[in-house]
Amino acid sequence: MRAARKSWKTYALGAAAVAALLSSTACGPDDGAASPAPSRTASATGTTAPTTPGPASTTDAPQPTATHSAKPSATGSGSGSGSKEKAPACGDQDLAIGTSYWAHDSGQHLLITATNVTDKPCTLYHYPFITFGQDADSPLPPMESPAKAVATIGPKQKAYAGVKLFLGGEKTTTYESFGIAYQDPSSNEDGSPIDVALSDEVQFVTVGRNPSVTFWNLDRSEVEGFVFKAR
């Protein structure tokens, strides 16, 4: 706004100078001494250069007001001023959790399916906090498996995460349930894990020394790719 206001004043002063010059030329003697208007007056009458946008941001902060015909540019990551507000983080009351094995696997990996049971969308951030047994303060570390998009799920839609349980030859411990909690985008935590019983298909899992979990993903095949290449 400062640049636009300064240009406007330059334009006004230039116009006043031209008017004064014309007046003196009309009323005074024609001695040929009148000088042409400064060249900067002509450039001031053009459109001002648009304000250079700052670095892309993922926040919804308001953009500077553009001058003349300049158009505001959207910020990065699809979260600019023209995008819709993100759905709130999913919580325990929003989801039904299911568990299953892959048919070609020998029980070394677990698929977790989260289904939105509400009538509004919610977002699953990062990866689930998964715990086994009484060690609720030490959730599984994530694999290097970032999702292609934020896992926002509408009513009855699903998101997936995979757990690497053990490697062949490892000493394992058997569990019939697990704890799960969901991350908040601002604090990366959302309360204590709740205990979830394994499905009838799974019944129990055997967990080794270094289990890990993928990030939430809307595409089950993406989760499968990360799970089976993790070592």
Side-chain angles (χ1 to χ4, degrees):
M1 289 298 295
R2 289 183 178 179
R5 188 177 294 114
K6 183 176 180 181
S7 299
W8 183 85
K9 287 182 178 180
T10 302
Y11 174 86
L13 291 174
V18 172
L21 178 62
L22 292 176
S23 175
S24 61
T25 304
C27 298
D30 185 10
D31 55 3
S35 60
S39 59
R40 66 188 180 96
T41 303
S43 64
T45 60
T47 58
T48 60
T51 304
T52 303
S57 170
T58 58
T59 61
D60 291 329
Q63 301 297 314
T65 303
T67 58
H68 295 279
S69 59
K71 296 181 179 180
S73 58
T75 56
S77 303
S79 58
S81 57
S83 64
K84 295 181 179 179
E85 185 178 355
K86 288 182 180 178
C90 297
D92 299 332
Q93 70 281 1
D94 303 316
L95 303 169
I97 299 297
T99 53
S100 58
Y101 286 133
W102 278 273
H104 59 283
D105 190 31
S106 57
Q108 292 179 266
H109 305 90
L110 182 70
L111 176 66
I112 297 175
T113 301
T115 304
N116 184 346
V117 295
T118 72
D119 58 357
K120 295 181 180 180
C122 65
T123 300
L124 287 163
Y125 287 93
H126 312 305
Y127 57 94
F129 284 154
I130 301 295
T131 59
F132 291 100
Q134 302 300 317
D135 198 7
D137 293 331
S138 299
L140 303 191
M143 301 179 198
E144 294 181 359
S145 57
K148 291 183 177 180
V150 175
T152 297
I153 49 177
K156 307 303 183 288
Q157 291 184 336
K158 303 177 186 295
Y160 306 92
V163 179
K164 183 193 74 172
L165 296 171
F166 68 93
L167 297 177
E170 273 191 318
K171 181 180 179 180
T172 60
T173 303
T174 300
Y175 299 97
E176 296 181 351
S177 65
F178 65 97
I180 186 169
Y182 311 98
Q183 298 195 47
D184 183 271
S186 59
S187 63
N188 286 345
E189 62 182 40
D190 188 18
S192 300
I194 61 168
D195 196 55
V196 177
L198 294 164
S199 65
D200 291 340
E201 173 193 341
V202 175
Q203 296 187 354
F204 65 89
V205 292
T206 53
V207 181
R209 294 175 298 176
N210 298 298
S212 57
V213 63
T214 71
F215 285 71
W216 288 112
N217 207 305
L218 299 176
D219 187 345
R220 175 174 169 167
S221 63
E222 286 288 323
V223 172
E224 182 174 342
F226 284 118
V227 162
F228 287 100
K229 75 177 182 181
R231 292 291 182 267

